[in-house]
Amino acid sequence: MRNLNHILWLGLKELMSLLRDPVLLFLIIYSFTFSVYTPAKSAVMDVVNASIGVVDEDDSVLSRRITESFLPPLFLPPRQLVFGDINHAMNTGEYTFIVDIPHYFQRDIGNDAQPTVEITADATAMSQAGRGPDYIQLNTRARFNPNYQQSWFVAINQIINNITVLAIFLTGAAVLREREHGTLEHLLVMPLRPFELMFAKIWANGLVVVITALASLFVVVQGALGVPIAGQSIPLFAGGLCVYLFSVTALGVMLATLVRSMPQFGLLAFPTFIAMSLLSGGQTPLESMPMWLQRTMQFVPSTHFVSFSQAVLFRNASLSMVWWPLTLMFVIGCVYTVFTLSRFRKMLAAVQ
């Protein structure tokens, strides 16, 4: 009970120190407001005003309906071409897409045949060429994001990334701030144990991240951006966030024990965060990575947090569906905490 009391009061001291640091306060507010809203609004990777040509070899009612279905703002008004003009039109970059509807298309559809419609895409317009054929297909069905709104994905991904970077930097900065200001020596003369100092920094900074992240979900993502999030998924997400912070804040403390100053910590923490952000499945699916890298990233908590968050916030998954990534995050957090506590004790011994 005495240990818990020490951890509580030391954590309150951390919160008071944070409130007196305007730079970190600005970073927290910026990370969960403008840093979420601006990329979601400005990162246009969807198909917008794509130029399209149509080679209608069938000239039937059905083929004309297909031609008329390419509407703004996804596509510019389609232009009719003949088959012999396809190569020249693509070589000159006049069209991003050319759709070739074959002869007897309507008749084959009526006879339950499967005629082939050829879609030629200009892959120099990489983002549109990758997404455009999905819009052109006639039988595509999308769940959870039926209009392929890029802002929905970007907003959630920004919150996940900002949770990671703030958890690492806040806890690491808390350790180094004590060291640089000389207050760590003052704490060491008190009857305090290393784990009390470490867990106080973890719960105090973790609490700040939880509150600001949930506020960003309600105010910025749901309110300003209009991204639909099932109400019953928020408590589960909050619980999973606490489990994730248990591991990633320990990582921040561990990185702080490896360096002696804030600039050194930044040089070490930024590559760590970038690797976690790019390789955890938020930016690029894990299935697209080499097998050895997929296996390696299973030991990183952000990989399981990305999977958990997307399942809960996008697909409204229940606890029975996401218990496994939660378990993995907790186990990894325990391993990180044990190793970090060992490093923290060595750092305190060196200070003494």
Side-chain angles (χ1 to χ4, degrees):
M1 190 64 185
R2 183 180 178 184
N3 293 334
L4 292 177
N5 190 49
H6 287 169
I7 293 173
L8 173 63
W9 285 104
L10 287 170
L12 293 176
K13 179 192 74 68
E14 290 295 329
L15 293 176
M16 295 300 296
S17 299
L18 181 60
L19 290 175
R20 296 191 183 98
D21 193 327
V23 176
L24 284 180
L25 287 177
F26 173 78
L27 176 63
I28 294 169
I29 295 172
Y30 173 81
S31 297
F32 287 110
T33 53
F34 292 101
S35 184
V36 175
Y37 182 85
T38 304
K41 279 294 187 181
S42 61
V44 180
M45 299 179 66
D46 295 325
V47 176
V48 178
N49 292 330
S51 55
I52 185 169
V54 177
V55 178
D56 188 356
E57 300 183 72
D58 192 40
D59 193 24
S60 61
V61 174
L62 180 57
S63 64
R64 286 192 291 272
R65 284 189 176 181
I66 292 175
T67 302
E68 294 168 356
S69 67
F70 301 121
L71 300 173
L74 300 180
F75 301 99
L76 295 173
R79 295 182 59 182
Q80 293 289 337
L81 300 174
V82 297
F83 184 82
D85 293 338
I86 293 179
N87 288 337
H88 176 73
M90 294 302 294
N91 290 339
T92 58
E94 188 175 355
Y95 299 98
T96 304
F97 305 101
I98 295 179
V99 179
D100 180 13
I101 303 175
H103 290 292
Y104 312 117
F105 177 75
Q106 180 171 310
R107 187 195 68 182
D108 290 343
I109 292 292
N111 294 331
D112 292 331
Q114 296 183 351
T116 300
V117 176
E118 181 180 285
I119 301 172
T120 305
D122 180 5
T124 59
M126 186 177 64
S127 62
Q128 296 205 33
R131 294 171 177 270
D134 290 334
Y135 289 93
I136 296 173
Q137 289 179 16
L138 304 180
N139 61 346
T140 300
R141 298 290 185 272
R143 296 189 64 185
F144 312 117
N145 189 355
N147 293 323
Y148 296 96
Q149 293 289 331
Q150 184 72 17
S151 61
W152 292 15
F153 173 80
V154 172
I156 297 299
N157 199 51
Q158 282 296 111
I159 285 186
I160 294 173
N161 287 338
N162 292 340
I163 286 170
T164 302
V165 69
L166 275 182
I168 292 175
F169 275 87
L170 288 180
T171 50
V175 173
L176 291 171
R177 183 169 56 239
E178 301 271 17
R179 197 168 183 175
E180 292 179 346
H181 292 177
T183 55
L184 192 59
E185 288 83 353
H186 297 167
L187 294 173
L188 292 177
V189 300
M190 298 180 182
L192 299 174
R193 298 181 179 181
F195 79 89
E196 294 173 347
L197 295 173
M198 190 181 85
F199 278 102
K201 299 182 186 303
I202 287 177
W203 84 255
N205 292 285
L207 178 64
V208 173
V209 175
V210 169
I211 293 174
T212 50
L214 293 180
S216 181
L217 268 180
F218 286 112
V219 178
V220 180
V221 177
Q222 282 189 306
L225 294 173
V227 179
I229 296 175
Q232 60 267 30
S233 68
I234 298 297
L236 179 57
F237 174 75
L241 174 57
C242 293
V243 175
Y244 175 61
L245 289 173
F246 171 61
S247 59
V248 77
T249 50
L251 176 62
V253 175
M254 182 187 70
L255 295 178
T257 62
L258 301 176
V259 298
R260 292 184 174 273
S261 65
M262 193 68 74
Q264 291 178 343
F265 176 72
L267 291 174
L268 181 61
F270 263 114
T272 302
F273 161 70
I274 291 173
M276 293 172 67
S277 173
L278 295 179
L279 303 178
S280 295
Q283 305 286 348
T284 304
L286 283 176
E287 294 78 8
S288 301
M289 303 177 190
M291 186 57 65
W292 66 269
L293 186 56
Q294 295 183 39
R295 292 171 178 169
T296 301
M297 292 307 296
Q298 296 303 311
F299 298 96
V300 179
S302 56
T303 302
H304 308 292
F305 183 62
V306 169
S307 174
F308 165 82
S309 299
Q310 292 180 348
V312 172
L313 297 178
F314 285 141
R315 298 189 289 272
N316 195 24
S318 62
L319 179 60
S320 62
M321 301 176 185
V322 295
W323 68 271
W324 181 240
L326 279 174
T327 303
L328 291 176
M329 282 192 289
F330 180 75
V331 172
I332 294 173
C334 291
V335 175
Y336 279 19
T337 300
V338 170
F339 181 76
T340 300
L341 186 56
S342 172
R343 289 289 316 169
F344 194 65
R345 285 197 178 103
K346 291 180 180 179
M347 186 196 74
L348 295 180
V351 173
Q352 289 176 320

